[in-house]
Amino acid sequence: MSVGVKEKAAGWEPLIVAFCCNWCSYAGGDLAGTSRLTYPSNVKVIRVPCSGRMNPMFVLRAFQRGADGVIVAGCHPGDCHYSTGNYSARRRLSAFKRLVEFAGFEPERFEVRWISSSEGDKFAEEMTGITERIKALGPNGKMRDARWQKKA
Amino acid sequence: MARTGVFVCHCGTNIAGTVDIDQSVEASRGFPGVVHAGEYRYLCSEMGQDLIKNAIEEHNLDRVVVGTCSPRMHENTFRKAAAEAGLNPYMLEVANIREHCSWVHREMDEATPKAIALLRAAAAKVALNDPLDIPELDVEKRALIIGGGIAGIQAALDIAEAGYVVDIVEREPSIGGRMAQLEKTFPTLDCSACILTPKMVEAAQHPNVNLITYSEIDEVKGFVGQFDVKIRQKARSVDSVKCTGCGICWEKCPSKAPSEFEMGMAKRKAIYVPFPQAVPNVPVIDRDNCLYFKKGRCQICAKECPPEAIDFEQQDVVIERRYGAIIVATGFDQLDPSIYGEYGYGQHPDILTGLEFERLFNASGPTGGKVVRLSDGKPPRNVVFIQCIGSRDKARGMNYCSKICCMFTAKQAILLKEKVPDARSYVFYIDVRTAGKGYEEFQRRAAEEYDVAYLRGQVGKIFPEEDHLVVHGVDSLSGKIVEIKADMVVLAAASIARCDAPEVGRKVGINSDSYHFFNEAHPKLRPVETHTAGVFIAGACQAPKDIPDTVAQASAAAVKAIGLLSKEKLQGEACTAEVIQDECSGCLNCIAVCPYTAITEVEIEERHHGGTLKRTVAQVNPSLCQGCGSCTATCRSGSINLKGFTNEQILAEVDAICL
Amino acid sequence: MSAAANKTRLVEEMKAQSGQDPSQCFQCAKCSAACPVTAAMDLLPHQVIRYLQMGMEEELLKSKTPWICASCFTCAARCPRDLDLARMMEGIRLSMLRCREGNKFGPADLTPEQLEKLPQQALVSGFRKYNK
């Protein structure tokens, strides 16, 4: 019996890791909070200085440890606090997404979004959106490392 | 082993309303490395901070996690508190359980587990924190201004008044810039020279201002607080100290050349000052046109000069100086309308650009202040002004609006009527844009009181016929084709970035937009800063703008520079990248992605099989690094790490969240 | 006529035929100023675009202007918005013909060999205009 079926039966909730750049998306998340918008608590945010800091290794590790979805959010292209960090992120992560797909993993589990510090509503929408999409997709059974499973 | 203390804030009911504080504290006690956990109603209050400080002492804590509001809010507050208790301020992490948790979730059984996960992640990260030093940087109390137009002059005077020494580097022999070329200024019709010249003189006489004219920037190195700049002072061939500006030399000089200041419409001598009010009033010899430099004979100027100031042997001098701040104020150019064949610019002397037409009004201009046709010297009866020449034109020109043309055209039409009372002006426009104090009223006066005919439409063709120009245009509002027998045509050519703006930008280390205008750090909130700390921009080098906006921006840039210069020491960024040179393979991909040119290659010596081996590796200058981390993600061997956001720390957070 | 009228059959067909989007035009009217045959036109070229923007299809179908247009492309060379008005005129002419006379003949009715031998669209439209 696969991990997925068992978990679905037990009222499975997906785990989504969101990597947000400090200057735009993390601040957008703060604004979602101050505006008292809601999004599912499945999403947990890790702060990085810039989306350009995102080493694909971080994403792989999240999947390995059992995350069902990963979203990277940065400043809109052209608005990067560090001028060009999100351009490198865009390039690197879109190549990475294709690699993930090539390796036979569901590319839908990994998303990159541009959310500015003034887009609290967009932050909440995107976080809700990815949670729903991952819920529909089911648990991450392929990349999860069996040694790292939750203790029953 | 880490000795971490976790402190959870209630924030009144802001957090406690949806997060079970007791449960969170209890859970925190079980995290690896945590030796103490506590809670308080308002951790950011003085009492709350004391609670943390006391616990650090009492439990001998070496790391702290606070579960509070966003780190963007109070990270510094808590870091300071930790520092006061003797910890390195970077041994503290914030778990954002308010904005990212209690405020976005409604149910306690939803928010509490998430808060615990966030606290766990922070505790996992803090266990790997290292004490970081905030680099302290010296500040050279001297500012450099590149460009001596009205923006540069205004900024220099403001900085000088604040008590700091400031150098203006100007490419031309005199400061004054574009504003010196103008006759009047809209919308008040002040005489441009009357308001500019006193400022030029003030700049020249101010003890804190140094004018370095006829000079250009060769090289800028260093970083905020310590820019090392090489300035090339071109050979003037005149000793500025001896010269009294009497003018005998340029009176006697036998060779002539087209005057740059008069846009080629008049001649100047080979030894010249660009315009009568020039500051400094010291001529230069244009060596390309000087008989002595061309043929080895003449030297009339030297023979006639009473203080013997002429120095044919003078060489370019490179001045090397250190500055704390730089303001770039290099101004703008005018688009050359000859790219539009239909207007015939350059093929007929009576078709001029706006700036050329402006010079006809000036008493020291090519016509001595008489507005006459350059073809036959007669005053014009019908003058056609055409707007948006190269502006708002994505096909052949610039996609943007040049902002000043509607207003200077209205001004010139009014001035024309005053100089030549029976003249009639026609203005072909697409839209009239007059946003600004008193601007709309001014433009309406032109239309209503000065008999200026505004025609909404464009001109398709201009061709000479007998002694006039036939302007073939359209008035789109009436839907009628219009043909005007014009005596002169004035083209409102677009304001464009200086042709060498990209080169200047590269030297100074600032970037520009697709039109080569310099980029501000934020279009609304940081309008005079650039992404390079310590470099500011002012005036039309940022975007087309009029004099009031330029002066305002110049003063704003000056305030930013003064703020920087007033600091004893600058605090650098603590979270900077660091190369593990033993592991670096020297591929130098990191150099290409660094937005701050903070990474350079360096040669190191290594012991290798008993001998020494020279190897190229990367090296980060922590003063330039701003801590974006792009290099760390680019590094193939993983041998650059970002302090404060190391690979290990981020992975620890991932692991803790996925537990 | 309303803003919604913008998407009329004529506009959509013209767009498909010419690849030009009339909403790009900001009505500087340089096309009209440059056009050598405005004397014979009932609507000036910029007005034709304005009618397209307003979705005034019926009024446009009555106009002679698209048939007067000589396809000299001066308008296209002058346009600061990079619109090719001559192409738009051709699009309008085609659409007018179809509207008046019905879509008698489509590319699908031709064999690939015939299509190969067909002259350029502008040439065809020239015959259509001057053979009447």
Side-chain angles (χ1 to χ4, degrees):
Chain A
M1 193 160 133
S2 80
V3 181
V5 177
K6 192 168 73 189
E7 287 187 340
K8 245 180 187 167
W12 167 77
E13 281 288 333
L15 172 66
I16 319 276
V17 179
F19 293 93
C20 293
C21 85
N22 181 45
W23 305 96
C24 287
S25 307
Y26 194 89
D30 282 356
L31 182 62
T34 36
S35 319
R36 306 298 201 276
L37 304 170
T38 58
Y39 55 87
S41 60
N42 306 62
V43 178
K44 274 126 193 146
V45 175
I46 292 177
R47 183 165 69 128
V48 288
C50 174
S51 53
R53 172 72 184 90
M54 277 309 294
N55 192 321
M57 167 174 76
F58 304 152
V59 181
L60 289 176
R61 172 88 95 155
F63 285 131
Q64 214 181 355
R65 296 299 200 227
D68 302 292
V70 172
I71 181 165
V72 174
C75 308
H76 285 270
D79 290 347
C80 178
H81 177 80
Y82 302 103
S83 301
T84 52
N86 55 2
Y87 290 135
S88 345
R90 181 168 65 180
R91 222 174 163 162
R92 183 175 298 126
L93 297 176
S94 53
F96 171 67
K97 189 166 169 134
R98 295 185 60 180
L99 183 72
V100 163
E101 186 176 11
F102 177 77
F105 187 68
E106 302 102 319
E108 302 82 15
R109 294 195 185 277
F110 173 59
E111 292 184 4
V112 180
R113 290 288 184 273
W114 313 122
I115 303 170
S116 83
S117 56
S118 60
E119 293 176 326
D121 47 351
K122 186 176 178 191
F123 186 91
E125 270 167 38
E126 290 293 353
M127 296 309 147
T128 310
I130 188 170
T131 310
E132 278 164 9
R133 286 189 288 276
I134 298 298
K135 268 187 183 161
L137 204 61
N140 156 26
K142 283 186 182 159
M143 219 189 287
R144 167 175 295 191
D145 186 336
R147 290 164 296 182
W148 194 265
Q149 275 180 32
K150 279 177 196 154
K151 286 162 205 137
Chain B
M1 188 64 195
R3 293 188 59 82
T4 307
V6 179
F7 301 88
V8 183
C9 179
H10 297 232
C11 196
T13 55
N14 278 310
I15 294 172
T18 28
V19 172
D20 186 327
I21 303 288
D22 291 340
Q23 206 182 322
S24 307
V25 171
E26 203 42 53
S28 300
R29 291 207 169 98
F31 300 155
V34 172
V35 294
H36 172 77
E39 40 77 34
Y40 193 69
R41 279 182 69 78
Y42 291 102
L43 266 185
C44 61
S45 69
E46 219 178 305
M47 300 278 282
Q49 292 185 47
D50 284 343
L51 178 94
I52 298 173
K53 287 187 228 169
N54 293 338
I56 290 174
E57 209 160 303
E58 193 181 327
H59 299 279
N60 197 19
L61 303 177
D62 62 358
R63 281 141 230 270
V64 173
V65 168
V66 288
T68 55
C69 52
S70 171
R72 294 172 54 85
M73 191 93 170
H74 271 313
E75 189 171 52
N76 274 338
T77 312
F78 293 117
R79 274 186 180 162
K80 233 193 237 164
E84 279 163 19
L87 286 191
N88 179 286
Y90 290 88
M91 299 304 277
L92 176 136
E93 288 294 329
V94 178
N96 183 351
I97 59 168
R98 193 178 76 175
E99 280 86 344
H100 282 198
C101 187
S102 71
W103 275 355
V104 288
H105 309 307
R106 296 283 175 266
E107 303 302 325
M108 201 166 253
D109 59 356
E110 196 183 17
T112 306
K114 177 166 169 182
I116 292 171
L118 294 177
L119 286 163
R120 188 168 56 224
K125 184 181 180 189
V126 83
L128 300 171
N129 277 21
D130 281 320
L132 300 183
D133 294 328
I134 304 169
E136 285 210 324
L137 312 171
D138 287 328
V139 189
E140 184 70 28
K141 308 270 178 194
R142 190 181 190 117
L144 168 68
I145 293 175
I146 307 174
I150 182 60
I153 294 171
Q154 179 67 39
L157 289 174
D158 288 347
I159 293 172
E161 276 302 298
Y164 299 103
V165 179
V166 52
D167 295 353
I168 300 180
V169 171
E170 166 59 50
R171 172 161 53 185
E172 300 299 327
S174 166
I175 58 168
R178 289 286 178 209
M179 190 173 169
Q181 289 180 293
L182 304 182
E183 164 66 10
K184 296 271 162 61
T185 55
F186 59 76
T188 46
L189 295 183
D190 297 279
C191 149
S192 188
C194 309
I195 55 177
L196 176 66
T197 315
K199 287 221 173 238
M200 290 163 61
V201 173
E202 198 187 337
Q205 292 176 346
H206 202 292
N208 281 345
V209 180
N210 294 303
L211 301 183
I212 310 177
T213 52
Y214 207 47
S215 303
E216 290 183 58
I217 301 298
D218 256 7
E219 184 188 272
V220 178
K221 283 197 161 170
F223 41 86
V224 56
Q226 299 165 52
F227 293 106
D228 290 312
V229 182
K230 285 187 185 159
I231 303 160
R232 175 170 299 275
Q233 195 161 28
K234 293 174 273 186
R236 225 178 170 105
S237 315
V238 175
D239 186 329
S240 316
V241 181
K242 286 187 193 164
C243 174
T244 60
C246 68
I248 291 175
C249 54
W250 65 80
E251 238 167 66
K252 302 285 180 184
C253 175
S255 38
K256 288 183 176 177
S259 161
E260 295 84 359
F261 186 79
E262 301 295 350
M263 328 281 292
M265 291 186 295
K267 300 268 188 196
R268 57 156 171 83
K269 296 294 181 64
I271 183 164
Y272 70 104
V273 289
F275 55 100
Q277 302 88 348
V279 172
N281 190 21
V282 176
V284 298
I285 293 180
D286 159 17
R287 294 187 174 183
D288 294 336
N289 288 295
C290 168
L291 277 180
Y292 174 71
F293 281 101
K294 267 170 37 185
K295 299 191 174 146
R297 289 201 313 268
C298 184
Q299 302 200 4
I300 290 177
C301 50
K303 284 170 207 148
E304 297 284 344
C305 177
E308 298 179 339
I310 308 292
D311 178 3
F312 295 114
E313 308 302 317
Q314 220 176 53
Q315 300 289 320
D316 289 6
V317 178
V318 176
I319 304 169
E320 290 186 41
R321 213 164 261 171
R322 179 168 276 197
Y323 296 96
I326 299 177
I327 295 177
V328 181
T330 48
F332 68 102
D333 270 332
Q334 206 181 26
L335 177 124
D336 177 2
S338 58
I339 55 167
Y340 296 95
E342 62 266 35
Y343 299 129
Y345 175 80
Q347 293 162 26
H348 196 285
D350 295 331
I351 303 173
L352 300 176
T353 66
L355 205 48
E356 288 166 350
F357 189 57
E358 184 88 20
R359 292 304 303 154
L360 302 190
F361 291 98
N362 194 278
S364 54
T367 56
K370 292 198 190 86
V371 180
V372 290
R373 291 159 32 114
L374 294 181
S375 58
D376 58 8
K378 290 182 189 160
R381 284 290 167 81
N382 291 323
V383 177
V384 170
F385 293 88
I386 310 173
Q387 308 278 271
C388 298
I389 305 295
S391 304
R392 307 181 70 195
D393 179 348
K394 70 175 178 186
R396 286 180 287 172
M398 303 293 160
N399 214 346
Y400 56 81
C401 165
S402 288
K403 199 174 177 184
I404 55 173
C405 325
C406 288
M407 285 303 290
F408 78 61
T409 296
K411 174 192 78 179
Q412 291 179 345
I414 288 176
L415 293 180
L416 174 68
K417 192 76 182 170
E418 283 177 350
K419 284 254 181 180
V420 187
D422 59 350
R424 182 97 211 267
S425 296
Y426 301 85
V427 180
F428 283 95
Y429 69 97
I430 303 174
D431 297 290
V432 175
R433 294 176 168 176
T434 55
K437 191 170 178 175
Y439 286 14
E440 173 68 12
E441 298 91 318
F442 183 81
Q443 186 270 334
R444 287 315 305 161
R445 258 170 62 206
E448 290 161 19
E449 293 169 31
Y450 288 86
D451 198 25
V452 179
Y454 275 84
L455 302 160
R456 194 197 186 282
Q458 278 289 293
V459 169
K461 182 103 190 123
I462 298 170
F463 50 92
E465 196 178 85
E466 294 165 1
D467 65 341
H468 57 260
L469 295 157
V470 178
V471 177
H472 189 91
V474 65
D475 175 56
S476 73
L477 296 177
S478 61
K480 296 286 181 239
I481 298 296
V482 183
E483 214 168 71
I484 298 168
K485 284 185 180 177
D487 300 305
M488 286 180 94
V489 173
V490 181
L491 306 174
S495 298
I496 56 172
R498 291 276 187 196
C499 59
D500 58 351
E503 199 191 322
V504 172
R506 259 194 305 281
K507 278 181 190 162
V508 183
I510 56 176
N511 53 20
S512 38
D513 63 18
S514 56
Y515 306 110
H516 305 313
F517 287 116
F518 296 129
N519 272 345
E520 61 281 11
H522 188 283
K524 288 127 202 160
L525 303 179
R526 296 173 70 198
V528 297
E529 289 134 295
T530 65
H531 281 297
T532 304
V535 179
F536 309 99
I537 48 175
C541 64
Q542 180 255 349
K545 59 174 63 70
D546 56 20
I547 296 167
D549 285 1
T550 297
V551 171
Q553 206 179 18
S555 286
V559 167
K560 291 288 173 189
I562 293 165
L564 200 160
L565 297 181
S566 68
K567 289 185 177 144
E568 275 311 308
K569 293 272 181 189
L570 292 178
Q571 287 213 329
E573 175 65 52
C575 298
T576 52
E578 191 177 34
V579 180
I580 306 155
Q581 294 190 331
D582 290 346
E583 293 172 10
C584 173
S585 69
C587 73
L588 304 177
N589 281 342
C590 46
I591 293 182
V593 297
C594 179
Y596 302 100
T597 57
I599 308 179
T600 46
E601 52 182 303
V602 63
E603 208 164 69
I604 55 165
E605 279 189 9
E606 274 179 351
R607 284 168 150 226
H608 190 70
H609 292 299
T612 54
L613 183 76
K614 278 188 179 169
R615 206 159 67 81
T616 302
V617 295
Q619 174 179 262
V620 177
N621 180 340
S623 311
L624 287 177
C625 176
Q626 301 291 312
C628 70
S630 281
C631 52
T632 60
T634 302
C635 184
R636 302 188 295 198
S637 52
S639 45
I640 303 192
N641 224 336
L642 182 64
K643 290 186 235 167
F645 291 96
T646 62
N647 292 333
E648 296 75 19
Q649 284 174 313
I650 294 175
L651 290 175
E653 281 185 275
V654 171
D655 291 355
I657 277 180
C658 293
L659 201 64
Chain C
M1 181 193 70
S2 68
N6 217 332
K7 286 195 176 156
T8 60
R9 184 194 62 86
L10 177 67
V11 176
E12 292 309 312
E13 260 187 39
M14 185 282 303
K15 273 185 175 172
Q17 289 283 351
S18 66
Q20 308 291 308
D21 182 355
S23 68
Q24 290 268 310
C25 169
F26 59 28
Q27 289 285 303
C28 73
K30 197 164 178 180
C31 46
S32 301
C35 179
V37 289
T38 47
M41 288 177 172
D42 51 357
L43 284 181
L44 291 178
H46 77 276
Q47 291 173 315
V48 170
I49 304 192
R50 188 67 189 145
Y51 278 35
L52 288 169
Q53 289 176 338
M54 306 281 283
M56 294 161 69
E57 184 173 336
E58 275 175 34
E59 292 87 337
L60 202 49
L61 287 172
K62 285 180 208 143
S63 168
K64 285 193 191 116
T65 295
W67 302 99
I68 302 292
C69 166
S71 293
C72 73
F73 292 96
T74 308
C75 46
R78 299 275 195 272
C79 178
R81 306 301 300 159
D82 228 356
L83 278 174
D84 191 334
L85 185 48
R87 272 170 176 270
M88 295 170 81
M89 290 288 189
E90 172 63 8
I92 296 168
R93 285 194 290 268
L94 286 174
S95 188
M96 280 174 154
L97 282 177
R98 286 181 191 162
C99 182
R100 272 187 217 151
E101 298 165 21
N103 209 354
K104 293 175 185 165
F105 204 66
D109 302 322
L110 294 171
T111 65
E113 293 76 34
Q114 284 170 317
L115 272 171
E116 184 96 338
K117 284 179 191 162
L118 272 181
Q120 289 177 28
Q121 203 179 41
L123 219 57
V124 175
S125 80
F127 281 124
R128 204 182 277 145
K129 273 165 66 179
Y130 299 116
N131 277 349
K132 287 205 170 173

